[in-house]
């Protein structure tokens, strides 16, 4: 409250949002502008909801958890991939440009089909524990050293938001590149003693130009990952390992 008893007004934000509806043949991509008064603690999630509620009910964007867990709200925020639900407007300039993540099928406006891409990557890299001996579903699992469990957990924090894909230059050139998210998955399963695949098996999956050797170490993935996963370290480690296996 100010001295005069009035609540100070927030900044007037200008949102420039890339609109496109691929379902409508005549729809061409275009920037649309919306103005909104900033409120205390406003996130892009809250701002987009307010715009949709008060200005344009046709605006498309994705949210589920609103707390950085589900990975569905990734978008380009002033040219950088990020999670809209974890981005405060106060940390951005008053003009905010939003666009869908590149590299994924566009559903409409800011909504992209990351799930389809992630499923394809997961099937291709077989991101599940391979243990042909495990026929007894009631068998008690071997205990795992806490340090190892923690290392696996660290890599498993990936929420498959797609920000690393959108922030990777290689991805824009190689359609089948598995990206940092795919290489992180391989690094995760390689650590897991329950996965009986060996280095040769992993090499088959990512030891080529669509995997470890296609990566040009641009490190955009590492910079934009909202979960701060150690992508740079994992990619470098896999590359060293693969070079040895390949010799
Ligand atoms: Fe998102 Fe990071 Fe996982 Fe990439 S590695 S999908 S940026 S959480
Ligand atoms: Fe792309 Fe990351 Fe490699 S940005 S080129 S996957 S280091
Ligand atoms: Fe779930 Fe943003 S809404 S991560």
């Amino acid at each position: 409250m100010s001295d005069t008893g009035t609540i100070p007004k927030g900044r007037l934000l200008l949102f420039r949002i890339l609109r496109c509806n691929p379902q409508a043949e005549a729809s061409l991509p275009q920037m649309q502008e919306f103005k909104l008064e900033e409120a205390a603690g406003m996130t892009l999630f809250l701002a987009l909801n307010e715009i949709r509620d008060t200005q344009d009910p046709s605006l498309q964007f994705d949210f589920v958890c609103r707390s950085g867990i589900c990975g569905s709200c990734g978008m380009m925020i002033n040219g950088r991939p990020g999670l809209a639900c974890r981005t405060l407007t106060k940390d951005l300039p008053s003009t905010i440009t939003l666009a869908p993540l590149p590299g994924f099928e566009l559903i409409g406006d800011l909504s992209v089909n990351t799930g389809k891409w992630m499923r394809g990557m997961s099937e291709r890299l077989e991101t599940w524990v391979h243990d042909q001996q495990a026929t007894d579903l009631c068998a008690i699992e071997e205990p795992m050293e806490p340090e190892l469990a923690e290392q696996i957990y660290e890599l498993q924090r990936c929420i498959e938001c797609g920000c690393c894909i959108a922030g990777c230059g290689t991805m824009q050139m190689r359609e089948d590149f598995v990206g940092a998210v795919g290489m992180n998955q391989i690094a995760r399963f390689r650590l897991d003693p329950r996965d009986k695949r060996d280095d040769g098996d992993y090499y088959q999956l990512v030891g080529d130009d669509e995997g470890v050797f296609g990566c040009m170490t641009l490190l955009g993935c590492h910079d934009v990952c909202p979960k701060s996963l150690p992508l740079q370290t994992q990619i470098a480690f896999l590359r060293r390992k693969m070079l040895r296996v390949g010799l």
Side-chain angles (χ1 to χ4, degrees):
M1 193 91 66
S2 72
D3 292 346
T4 57
T6 54
I7 296 170
K9 283 201 159 216
R11 288 185 302 170
L12 187 62
L13 301 175
L14 174 66
F15 285 86
R16 301 181 70 247
I17 301 181
L18 188 61
R19 307 288 310 266
C20 183
N21 178 4
Q23 320 312 329
E25 259 179 43
S27 172
L28 291 174
Q30 55 174 317
M31 281 292 180
Q32 189 175 356
E33 295 189 348
F34 300 93
K35 288 186 180 142
L36 194 67
E37 189 186 320
E38 187 172 40
M42 182 180 256
T43 61
L44 288 180
F45 161 74
L46 293 172
L48 285 168
N49 267 290
E50 195 168 332
I51 290 172
R52 184 158 66 184
D53 286 351
T54 60
Q55 301 186 43
D56 189 338
S58 71
L59 183 63
Q60 296 184 69
F61 52 88
D62 296 319
F63 288 91
V64 180
C65 71
R66 305 178 222 166
S67 52
I69 296 169
C70 72
S72 60
C73 67
M75 59 185 68
M76 298 301 283
I77 304 163
N78 286 347
R80 183 185 168 91
L83 296 182
C85 73
R86 304 301 292 164
T87 304
L88 290 164
T89 55
K90 78 174 177 53
D91 295 332
L92 299 170
S94 57
T95 298
I96 300 171
T97 304
L98 302 178
L101 290 183
F104 299 99
E105 182 184 303
L106 181 66
I107 294 172
D109 302 333
L110 303 174
S111 171
V112 293
N113 196 343
T114 47
K116 183 175 171 189
W117 192 95
M118 293 294 168
R119 194 162 52 250
M121 176 275 294
S122 175
E123 285 169 1
R124 197 163 133 217
L125 300 186
E126 303 182 15
T127 57
W128 54 86
V129 168
H130 287 52
D131 183 359
Q132 289 172 350
Q133 311 303 319
T135 47
D136 181 2
L137 296 177
C138 299
I140 296 172
E141 270 187 19
E142 291 286 318
M144 195 184 284
E145 289 299 323
E147 295 77 24
L148 179 57
E150 247 174 58
Q151 282 174 35
I152 294 172
Y153 173 73
E154 168 75 354
L155 304 187
Q156 200 160 302
R157 291 185 304 109
C158 172
I159 55 172
E160 301 196 342
C161 62
C163 289
C164 59
I165 297 298
C168 172
T170 304
M171 205 61 230
Q172 313 308 320
M173 291 181 279
R174 288 185 194 277
E175 205 182 318
D176 293 326
F177 187 50
V178 299
V181 58
M183 292 185 269
N184 180 67
Q185 288 278 7
I186 289 296
R188 175 250 174 271
F189 281 97
R190 204 182 152 274
L191 278 178
D192 196 327
R194 295 167 300 179
D195 191 344
K196 302 302 181 212
R197 289 178 287 185
D198 60 23
D199 279 354
D201 296 324
Y202 299 125
Y203 183 86
Q204 290 291 322
L205 292 167
V206 289
D208 59 12
D209 285 352
E210 287 160 10
V212 170
F213 298 115
C215 167
M216 298 187 290
T217 326
L218 299 173
L219 297 181
C221 55
H222 189 91
D223 290 345
V224 301
C225 176
K227 304 309 276 188
S228 303
L229 289 176
L231 299 174
Q232 179 177 6
T233 314
Q234 294 310 317
I235 293 171
F237 175 78
L238 277 182
R239 185 177 291 138
R240 281 199 305 276
K241 271 276 166 203
M242 301 277 150
L243 280 169
R244 275 189 220 132
V245 175
L247 283 174

